[in-house]
Amino acid sequence: MNSIIRTLIKFRRIKPDLQKRDAFRSELVARVEATGPRAHRPRFALFPAFRPSTLAALCSVIIILGASGVSFAAQGALPGELLYPVKIATEKVRVATAQNDVQKTELRLEFAGRRLNEVQALINKGTATPEKTGAALAQYEKTLEESSVALAGDKDKTAGIATAIENATEAQARVADKISESVRANPSFGDLNNQLQHARNNIEEKGDAALLSIVSTASETSSALPKKILDRSRETVAKKEEKVNEAARTIEEIKSLGGDVDGADTKLKDAETNIKDAKRQFGEGNIRASLEHSMQAQKNAAEANQIAWQKGHHNAPHDDTNRAGGGDNRGEK
Amino acid sequence: MERSHHQDFLDLYDTYSDSIYRFILFKVSNTDIAWDLTQDCFLRMWEYASQAEKRVVQPKALLFTIARNLVIDHWRARARNRTVFFDTEVMDTNMDDGENAHDQLISLEETKQVMKLLEHLPDGDRELLTLRFTEELSFGDIAKIMGKNPVAVRVQAHRALRKLKSMIKI
């Protein structure tokens, strides 16, 4: 009889794949974050919420902040409001008292997401100013940067951290795009549009780095990539290809207007070669190499764009010279 | 300072994801399906908890109840009954055993023998024994999950163990 019970107890050693478990955990983090404003009262009567060491740290925080009621009231504060600094301070304490790097990263990503929500809230309330949105977005990018630094740390935790970043940046990209859409048509939000574009580029960069980290770790340990990561990698290569195509269209447009695109053409060719390699590598199952090539292709495309705009746009005939039937500057370098 | 229910929910996941996976795996004998249903279980739990007006007082029992219902739906959708308790081939690749290779082999063989015995028990008895001894749930929690009276559950567990004992003697 004891052997039966012992065997039943031994079944506890059966566990799911650790990577899948961690990957889904990050998905849950993104999902609860996307749910929106959360209720402040605890929903789960689970078990004592705090370990003794955390409890001691939090007691000192409550004393420092004056009263738990103050930090509670601060949770809904927006940039420019009186309690906003308390909200930020509370978040910093929560990160500082987190148990490990993965938890710290998850909290940072959660708080980074709050900055985007605050920008949206300011717009909805009609109280958005370039200073307030600039401050929130700068804080967002700073927090995103801090969470990415952990990627270079302990290799054992990298997979969990990278997955958290990858999932969070995907969710945050959607929020940033939504905000951009709502303000794009409004010229008074010109500064905000630029700030959002900057943040958007940062989100993409961090998401790419995290995805590459996940894929690299999997290839180092010869583990199969989860379907979700394969799909994400495929999407990433497709997005980079679209950027290369966009650059090609822009350069063609500038060329057709008589602009000089020499130099840009060369970079575009590099971009096209890299994206072709990326697609080939993906087809051969070399996902890491595929992602690296696609990211390089995007860089080349961005450089091509920049050169084309600087040279070709500058040298393109202006409207007044066009009226004369030909531009004095046409073809000049 | 309040503790976010976001963190509470993640703690729930950290604490019970392995248990829920095992519970489902014993019923579906397929690691991919078991993992898919495990994810569904936590997603449903989040949906429920984020919309419920009152706090979830016994999240552990609720999680296992959701998992149980998901398995029932799974088999219903396939219009057939499960006939195998647990595919021991699956077990070979899932057991995280810290012992050396020789001990692992002995351990695995003993486990397979017990599993063959468990195969002869009704579903309800097997479920009860794994919830009690593998997942360490109380009879009270098991009663809630199985929709039975706690005393009845205790009696059923005792009878199931007696059945197994008599099988060993044969």
Side-chain angles (χ1 to χ4, degrees), chain B residues 6 9 20 30 49-50 60 71 78 103 109 112 119 121 144 149 160 168:
Chain B
H6 162 205
F9 178 70
I20 295 293
N30 179 296
S50 58
K60 183 167 60 174
V71 172
R78 276 148 189 78
D103 289 345
E109 280 315 303
K112 283 180 179 176
E119 188 64 34
L121 288 181
K144 281 191 184 71
N149 179 290
I168 293 169

Side-chain angles (χ1 to χ4, degrees), chain B residues 86-114:
Chain B
F86 188 52
D87 187 346
T88 49
E89 294 301 323
V90 173
M91 190 184 69
D92 284 351
T93 55
N94 273 263
M95 207 97 150
D96 169 26
D97 199 317
E99 298 161 2
N100 65 45
H102 177 257
D103 289 345
Q104 267 182 36
L105 201 57
I106 305 287
S107 177
L108 205 57
E109 280 315 303
E110 280 174 356
T111 307
K112 283 180 179 176
Q113 278 168 18
V114 170

